[in-house]
């Protein structure tokens, strides 16, 4: 691995999304030099599925030799970002480096992506990066060797990187376009660069995308943090670059990249936005035991997603049979709002029945609109559809008699949910 040189000793790094993954790895690398690290992230309380909080990250940074300042920050909130920047300057005397690492991902097509998810990705990836940069720049301009580093890809304009997840690509490329613009705007004052991994990196996000079998095809976050260290210890005249981690480390003389592999010797999965096209990535993931939730074309609509709604639909799929279809003869569409928003369907009219995410294969006979939490309550028997309808929690459009048949089906499912 790339050795530390001590060049970041006493420097203050403001890192978004530093409570886990790549952000934390960059923080720990800098901490070994004796740097000050502002952990600007949302996770203050332990998450049931994601490791680490800003406080556990702070403990690791201190143990590595740095000084940590954990701040609860949602990068979409201008006041929270502003407060964190001001507090960081008050505590450490300034800001020398900004790492825009916080990011949101949702790999779905245009019709399958709720606007709530679009707003989330644009708000964190694009607006959050722009906002945090804007607020840090006045202090960076006072530093001797200031840098902004965005964890974002090179601007690959091949349409294949847009067609399957247009919203995500727009949001992620927004971070990269910020590099393009700010590098030129602040040339001679601040080094502004982008960094992107050549292969998949083992993070919570990657496990969500590829399932538990994806780890062996990944490298550790430390390869990105070593490449980031190489960038951030260079003069500010190194600017406007879209750096790939492996390429940068080869220039540093690193030859053995197995040290970064989760499973040395195992084939590695190329990352998005580089040379391999999406269909090739899916094939490689499946060949080596992973189960990607993103697929191109129609298969994408059947993507396996996580959460209580998805778990409910797994059970619904398992109990579908010709008898239920024959007794019901209806196609149901569910427009869900709330935390797990999205469109789902149950086809109890055709063949042996089907269920899944996205629009139903044929026109729906009944459209039900409700909060995702109430949907789960209905199918687990905690909320009767009639009561939900009467209280206004459930809106029904279409054949009411078929809507009542759905209640009977829910009663049959209750013991299994």
């Amino acid at each position: 691995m790339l050795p530390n040189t001590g060049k970041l000793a006493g420097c203050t790094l403001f890192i978004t999304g530093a409570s886990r993954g790549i952000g934390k790895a960059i923080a720990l690398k800098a901490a070994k030099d004796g740097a000050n690290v502002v952990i600007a992230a949302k996770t203050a309380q332990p998450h049931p599925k994601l490791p680490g909080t800003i406080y556990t990250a702070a403990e690791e940074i201190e143990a590595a030799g740095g000084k940590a300042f954990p701040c609860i920050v949602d990068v979409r909130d201008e006041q929270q970002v502003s407060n964190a920047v001001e507090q960081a300057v008050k505590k450490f005397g300034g800001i020398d480096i900004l790492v825009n690492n916080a990011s949101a991902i949702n790999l779905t097509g245009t019709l399958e992506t709720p606007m709530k998810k679009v707003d989330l990705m644009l708000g964190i990836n694009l607006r959050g990066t722009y906002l945090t940069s804007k607020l840090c720049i006045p202090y960076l301009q006072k530093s001797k060797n200031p840098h902004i580093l965005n964890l974002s890809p090179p601007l690959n304009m091949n349409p294949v990187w847009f067609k399957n997840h247009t919203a995500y690509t727009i949001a992620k490329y927004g971070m990269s376009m910020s590099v393009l613009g700010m590098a030129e705007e602040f040339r001679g004052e601040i080094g502004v660069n982008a960094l992107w991994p050549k292969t998949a990196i083992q993070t919570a996000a990657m496990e969500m995308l590829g399932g538990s079998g994806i780890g062996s095809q990944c490298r550790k976050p430390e390869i990105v943090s070593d490449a980031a260290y190489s960038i951030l210890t260079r003069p500010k005249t190194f600017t406007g670059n879209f750096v790939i981690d492996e390429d940068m480390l080869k220039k540093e003389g690193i030859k053995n990249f197995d040290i970064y592999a989760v499973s040395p010797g195992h084939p590695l999965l190329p990352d998005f936005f580089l040379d391999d096209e999406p269909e090739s990535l899916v094939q490689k993931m499946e060949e080596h035991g992973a189960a990607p939730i993103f697929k191109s074309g129609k298969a994408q609509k059947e993507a396996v997603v996580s959460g209580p709604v998805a778990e409910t639909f797994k059970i619904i799929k398992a109990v579908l049979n010709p008898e239920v279809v024959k007794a019901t003869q209806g196609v149901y569409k569910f427009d869900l709002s709330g935390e797990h928003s999205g469109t789902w369907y149950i086809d109890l009219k055709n063949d042996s029945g089907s269920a899944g995410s996205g629009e139903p294969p044929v026109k729906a006979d009944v459209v039900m609109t409700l909060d995702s939490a109430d949907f789960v309550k209905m199918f687990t028997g905690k909320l009767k559809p009639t009561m939900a309808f009467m209280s206004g929690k459930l809106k029904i459009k279409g054949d009411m008699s078929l809507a009542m048949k759905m209640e009977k089906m829910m009663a049959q499912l209750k013991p299994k949910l």
Side-chain angles (χ1 to χ4, degrees), residues 143-382:
S143 174
K144 292 182 180 179
N145 192 39
H147 283 271
I148 295 175
L149 181 63
N150 293 355
L151 274 295
S152 62
L155 290 166
N156 185 343
M157 289 296 136
N158 187 331
V160 299
W161 293 115
F162 289 82
K163 68 174 185 177
N164 294 329
H165 39 74
T166 299
Y168 174 65
T169 300
I170 290 172
K172 204 65 186 173
Y173 278 16
M175 298 176 71
S176 301
M177 292 175 75
S178 293
V179 169
L180 200 63
M182 293 180 188
E184 196 60 34
E185 183 178 1
F186 299 102
R187 186 173 292 277
E189 297 181 77
I190 304 169
V192 185
N193 298 282
L195 175 62
W196 194 247
K198 184 172 183 176
T199 72
I201 303 297
Q202 188 183 43
T203 62
M206 183 52 65
E207 289 180 4
M208 177 191 75
L209 295 175
S212 58
I214 194 66
S216 61
Q217 300 177 59
C218 297
R219 283 174 171 165
K220 302 171 187 174
E222 284 72 21
I223 188 171
V224 185
S225 62
D226 276 5
Y229 185 84
S230 175
I231 295 169
L232 299 175
T233 53
R234 289 170 182 255
K236 62 186 178 183
T237 51
F238 183 80
T239 191
N241 301 287
F242 291 87
V243 179
I244 303 301
D245 58 357
E246 183 178 307
D247 296 343
M248 176 59 77
L249 293 178
K250 283 180 178 178
K251 292 178 182 178
E252 291 282 0
I254 302 295
K255 295 179 180 179
N256 177 20
F257 287 89
D258 272 352
I259 57 174
Y260 295 111
V262 174
S263 300
H266 196 285
L268 295 168
L269 179 69
D271 205 351
F272 278 24
F273 305 115
L274 301 178
D275 296 327
D276 283 65
E277 296 193 359
E279 290 78 5
S280 174
L281 296 184
V282 169
Q283 183 180 353
K284 289 179 180 180
M285 292 173 79
E286 292 177 333
E287 283 175 355
H288 298 288
I293 70 163
F294 62 94
K295 292 187 179 182
S296 60
K298 294 180 180 178
Q300 188 180 22
K301 295 181 181 180
E302 295 298 322
V304 180
V305 292
S306 59
V309 175
E311 292 302 315
T312 302
F313 268 88
K314 284 182 183 179
I315 298 171
I316 292 172
K317 287 180 181 180
V319 299
L320 293 180
N321 59 67
E323 288 74 21
V324 174
V325 173
K326 185 178 179 181
T328 310
Q329 287 296 292
V331 178
Y332 302 83
K333 175 182 173 182
F334 302 90
D335 284 331
L336 306 182
S337 58
E339 184 178 0
H340 301 280
S341 60
T343 300
W344 298 77
Y345 73 89
I346 302 176
D347 181 354
L348 297 177
K349 180 185 282 187
N350 302 289
D351 301 321
S352 298
S354 63
S357 61
E359 296 289 330
V362 296
K363 184 179 179 180
D365 299 302
V366 180
V367 179
M368 296 187 175
T369 305
L370 68 162
D371 187 273
S372 56
D374 290 328
F375 173 87
V376 175
K377 289 178 182 178
M378 283 203 319
F379 274 85
T380 54
K382 297 176 181 177

